Amino acid sequence: MNGLIRKDLYVADRTGRLLMILALVLSLVPSMGSFGSTYAMMMALMIPLNAIAYDEKCKWDRYAAMLPYKVGQLVWSKYLLAYLFTLLAGGIIVLGGGLRGLITGSAVNWGETLEMILMLGVSMLFVTALGLPTLYRFGSEKGRFIMILILGVGIGISVGLMEIFEEAPKLPSLPLPVVMAAIALLAAAATYSSFRLSVYFYKRRLNGNYN
């Protein structure tokens, strides 16, 4: 598994660095802080998307069939890649917020920043769970547009929910541990179902069932 992750990181090296630098620059602009945070999370999904596209272009699947890797490992490595870059995106948001505070001399609202990271991070879990099976089913070219659409809808829902909670403080609130446990269960169920679907689609595509 480590070898698979390292392969994808090598492939994503140049593109990943460019996207990270751009996300950090956007996060430094006071009027674009929220957009920079959203872009940083979008980056976390673009990396595995590009990795799958490169695999298709280089016929990696045929080569991997001769290596001692199971299909589940090949598929799961892309999920891990998305999660690694999601964590990296969270770090970029924190770094951008801190640097923006130093440049402008204003206090950083870390509570709001962490809330945004949590909301976008949870959104990325569900977007990844929806998007990766789409790539394995339709391929990188067709699946790319569907995945971007899913990403836009997911982020839009997250931002909308944040606005609703801010504008409606009188809504009954549940204890934080209960909310976190419910989200964790939903994310685990979505990830497991997504992974099984991705493995199923990967096998069928490998056998030539999809064009």
Side-chain angles (χ1 to χ4, degrees):
M1 183 65 72
N2 288 336
L4 294 173
I5 295 295
R6 290 175 64 184
K7 174 192 76 69
D8 289 334
L9 289 176
Y10 289 148
V11 170
D13 181 41
R14 180 175 298 178
T15 303
R17 280 185 291 176
L18 178 62
L19 292 176
M20 285 186 292
I21 292 173
L22 183 56
L24 181 59
V25 171
L26 291 174
S27 298
L28 292 177
V29 181
S31 61
M32 300 184 68
S34 297
F35 178 78
S37 300
T38 303
Y39 181 83
M41 287 297 176
M42 289 177 63
M43 172 200 71
L45 198 60
M46 296 302 294
I47 296 300
L49 189 155
N50 290 335
I52 292 176
Y54 282 128
D55 285 352
E56 288 185 6
K57 183 178 180 180
C58 299
K59 307 298 181 184
W60 160 255
D61 296 336
R62 298 180 183 178
Y63 177 71
M66 298 183 291
L67 299 176
Y69 291 117
K70 296 180 181 179
V71 171
Q73 292 176 306
L74 296 171
V75 172
W76 186 242
S77 66
K78 297 301 187 293
Y79 283 81
L80 290 180
L81 187 67
Y83 300 151
L84 285 174
F85 274 91
T86 298
L87 291 174
L88 180 60
I92 290 175
I93 293 173
V94 172
L95 178 60
L99 292 177
R100 188 170 64 249
L102 290 175
I103 293 173
T104 61
S106 59
V108 180
N109 189 338
W110 291 113
E112 182 178 330
T113 300
L114 293 178
E115 181 182 341
M116 178 176 294
I117 292 174
L118 179 61
M119 183 67 71
L120 290 174
V122 170
S123 299
M124 285 303 305
L125 288 177
F126 288 100
V127 169
T128 300
L130 290 171
L132 288 186
T134 301
L135 290 177
Y136 285 113
R137 170 58 181 86
F138 296 103
S140 60
E141 292 301 323
K142 295 179 181 178
R144 182 188 301 269
F145 299 104
I146 301 175
M147 195 170 182
I148 292 175
L149 177 62
I150 291 173
L151 177 62
V153 171
I155 292 177
I157 291 174
S158 300
V159 174
L161 288 175
M162 289 178 66
E163 293 293 333
I164 290 174
F165 289 133
E166 288 178 359
E167 297 296 331
K170 295 182 180 180
L171 288 175
S173 59
L174 294 174
L176 182 60
V178 174
V179 175
M180 296 301 295
I183 292 175
L185 287 174
L186 285 174
T191 300
Y192 176 78
S193 300
S194 169
F195 172 69
R196 299 311 306 173
L197 269 177
S198 293
V199 170
Y200 173 75
F201 291 145
Y202 184 97
K203 289 180 178 178
R204 288 183 62 83
R205 179 167 291 278
L206 198 62
N207 292 331
N209 295 101
Y210 306 132
N211 295 325

